[in-house]
Amino acid sequence: MNKPIVTMMGLGYIGLPTAALIASKGISVKGVDIKKEAVDTINQGKIHIIEPDLEGLVKVGVEKGFLKAYTSPSESDVYLIAVPTPFKANYEPDISYVASATEMLLPFLKNGNLLIIESTSPVGTTEEMAKLIFSKRPELKDKIYIAYCPERVLPGQVIYELEQNDRSIGGINKESTVKAMEFYSLFVKGTLHPTNARTAEMCKLVENSFRDVNIAFANELSIICEKSDIDVWELIELANKHPRVKILNPGVGVGGHCIAVDPWFLVSQFGDDAKMIKNARQVNDRKPHWVKDRVIEKAKQFEQENGRKPVIGCLGLAYKPDIDDLRESPSVEIAVLLKKEGYKLYVNEPHTHLQEAHGLTLSDIDTTLKNSDMYVLLTPHAVYKKLRGNIDFDKKLVNYSLK
């Protein structure tokens, strides 16, 4: 495939890194986002999200003229859709953003174009978008290529993993699969695995549901161990000595826009046939409330000993260590729950410049540590790990996120 002109619909945590990576290969990329502030920031060679190595890649892409951001699309050869797929009521997936992005592209589609959906989607979404296109542009039937290709990335390593990880690529027909694989071969070094659109969509949901089930086992184990007066960390270490056992470490819940969301797509679509997936999701959704209750138990002990409620320092709001992403974060949920219980909080998130998030006022780490009677380690950022071993810090620490 010759170097095409590419339009990326959505410049968030996946869209922008993907656009920047493609541009780094000397391919012209037109990024599109409805947020003008994000568009303006990118066109200055800067970024509006935190991700290692991303700003340098964006800066070079913009300076060399291969990456430019807009608030609306224009004619290209390849169109990528990487917009959110949030929930509606009852955890029903909302594909309206994908549909809206598809409709925005309708005036520009022409013979030979390739359209790829990367947004996490319920099974059948790619075929549904194809029907939408052909219903309004029937002359494009069998004239354009449509495929689905989900990403597999770890926040903090997105650029590396976008380029190095294998990809499952599924078209609405074999010709679309082949054309999409040709495109990804321009910037992906990992192995490209051909399939059909439905299987590729299911693959993304299954991968994150598998991880959710395994995390749920660890989180449920931590609850059982607490009731049994057993050190869950020691137990897991011992159990993992078995050559075929690999239990994950428990935490305060599960967050982010993948593991905390994707399993519900399967539950919504397949109901009682996804019982174990649903149970795992409920276990992980319950964990923040369990942690909140344990923190309140500690707070009441403090109150009995000191005659007043403690000031609680919440350490970390991101859903994973050393990133700025607060989406679906259990750490945020716990802090909000503690605030609703009437506790005065000092909240620190070292990876954001925000002064307020989800109704929580944020403080720098020194202010948080100085003014709190007890610390709740919610997200084990590296900066907090360095505080471990300090007698005063450890004495005040309530820890559910770090061994």
Side-chain angles (χ1 to χ4, degrees):
M1 173 183 282
N2 295 326
K3 289 184 177 180
I5 297 173
V6 177
T7 286
M8 169 62 75
M9 301 294 288
L11 295 172
Y13 286 94
I14 298 302
L16 180 57
T18 303
L21 175 62
I22 295 170
S24 73
K25 307 303 180 182
I27 299 170
S28 179
V29 181
K30 296 184 279 190
V32 178
D33 201 284
I34 60 174
K35 298 177 182 176
K36 187 176 185 302
E37 183 180 353
V39 168
D40 292 341
T41 299
I42 293 164
N43 285 333
Q44 295 170 22
K46 300 177 182 179
I47 58 176
H48 60 290
I49 56 177
I50 301 298
E51 177 60 40
D53 304 322
L54 178 58
E55 186 159 16
L57 210 59
V58 169
K59 185 174 185 293
V60 172
V62 171
E63 288 178 348
K64 290 188 175 181
F66 290 114
L67 177 62
K68 189 169 178 59
Y70 303 86
T71 55
S72 59
S74 58
E75 191 171 289
S76 296
D77 303 307
V78 177
Y79 299 92
L80 297 174
I81 296 177
V83 296
T85 44
F87 291 139
K88 293 189 284 189
N90 300 317
Y91 296 110
E92 183 183 352
D94 181 2
I95 63 169
S96 63
Y97 291 84
V98 176
S100 178
T102 302
E103 289 182 335
M104 288 176 69
L105 296 176
L106 283 172
F108 308 103
L109 293 174
K110 61 183 186 298
N111 289 1
N113 278 173
L114 170 63
L115 184 147
I116 302 169
I117 298 173
E118 289 202 353
S119 303
T120 302
S121 303
V123 177
T125 298
T126 307
E127 293 168 334
E128 190 172 334
M129 292 305 105
K131 291 178 181 178
L132 171 64
I133 293 169
F134 299 143
S135 68
K136 298 189 176 184
R137 295 285 307 278
E139 74 277 11
L140 293 176
K141 180 71 172 175
D142 299 325
K143 300 296 184 181
I144 64 172
Y145 307 96
I146 301 174
Y148 182 81
C149 179
E151 41 70 31
R152 293 175 172 133
V153 295
L154 180 68
Q157 300 180 32
V158 170
I159 299 297
Y160 174 83
E161 295 209 348
L162 279 174
E163 186 171 31
Q164 300 294 332
N165 287 354
D166 289 8
R167 303 292 286 260
S168 299
I169 302 173
I172 60 170
N173 50 43
K174 289 184 179 180
E175 294 78 13
S176 294
T177 301
V178 170
K179 187 65 81 170
M181 291 183 69
E182 289 176 359
F183 170 68
Y184 280 98
S185 69
L186 297 175
F187 62 95
V188 174
K189 294 180 181 178
T191 303
L192 306 178
H193 302 275
T195 182
N196 56 65
R198 281 180 169 252
T199 303
E201 290 164 342
M202 179 67 86
C203 189
K204 173 67 173 180
L205 302 179
V206 166
E207 289 167 1
N208 285 322
S209 296
F210 172 84
R211 296 174 67 198
D212 197 41
V213 168
N214 281 272
I215 295 169
F217 180 82
N219 281 336
E220 192 168 81
L221 192 60
S222 71
I223 295 171
I224 294 171
C225 285
E226 201 265 349
K227 289 186 175 181
S228 304
D229 194 25
I230 292 172
D231 183 338
V232 67
W233 306 105
E234 179 185 5
L235 174 66
I236 290 173
E237 184 178 356
L238 291 172
N240 284 347
K241 300 297 183 184
H242 189 294
R244 290 170 295 282
V245 173
K246 185 59 178 177
I247 303 171
L248 302 178
N249 288 329
V252 300
V254 175
H257 201 64
C258 288
I259 301 178
V261 175
D262 297 358
W264 285 120
F265 286 26
L266 293 177
V267 173
S268 175
Q269 195 165 9
F270 299 102
D272 288 343
D273 292 324
K275 287 181 180 178
M276 184 169 66
I277 296 170
K278 181 179 181 179
N279 287 340
R281 198 76 295 284
Q282 290 173 332
V283 167
N284 287 331
D285 277 353
R286 173 196 172 200
K287 192 67 186 293
H289 295 268
W290 182 86
V291 171
K292 180 264 298 183
D293 290 342
R294 303 290 79 71
V295 173
I296 289 177
E297 287 178 3
K298 300 284 187 181
K300 288 182 177 178
Q301 291 177 12
F302 179 96
E303 188 173 357
Q304 290 176 354
E305 295 169 2
N306 297 275
R308 64 177 177 84
K309 279 187 172 184
V311 177
I312 300 176
C314 295
L315 304 180
L317 289 184
Y319 82 89
K320 290 185 71 169
D322 304 319
I323 64 171
D324 72 330
D325 196 344
L326 308 186
R327 291 178 298 174
E328 309 296 331
S329 174
S331 300
V332 170
E333 184 176 2
I334 293 165
V336 170
L337 289 170
L338 290 171
K339 182 180 178 180
K340 288 181 178 178
E341 293 285 347
Y343 289 96
K344 182 177 181 180
L345 306 179
Y346 280 87
V347 182
N348 175 251
E349 173 44 65
H351 295 283
T352 183
H353 298 297
L354 295 174
Q355 296 180 326
E356 188 271 343
H358 297 274
L360 301 166
T361 301
L362 306 188
S363 304
D364 62 61
I365 188 167
D366 290 336
T367 301
T368 300
L369 295 177
K370 179 181 178 181
N371 291 283
S372 301
D373 297 304
M374 57 187 286
Y375 313 133
V376 185
L377 182 55
L378 298 176
T379 307
H381 295 307
V383 65
Y384 303 142
K385 293 181 182 180
K386 293 177 181 178
L387 297 172
R388 297 300 302 275
N390 180 292
I391 295 175
D392 291 336
F393 179 80
D394 288 346
K395 185 177 180 180
K396 293 183 177 182
L397 181 65
V398 180
N399 173 30
Y400 295 102
S401 283
L402 184 66
K403 183 175 179 181

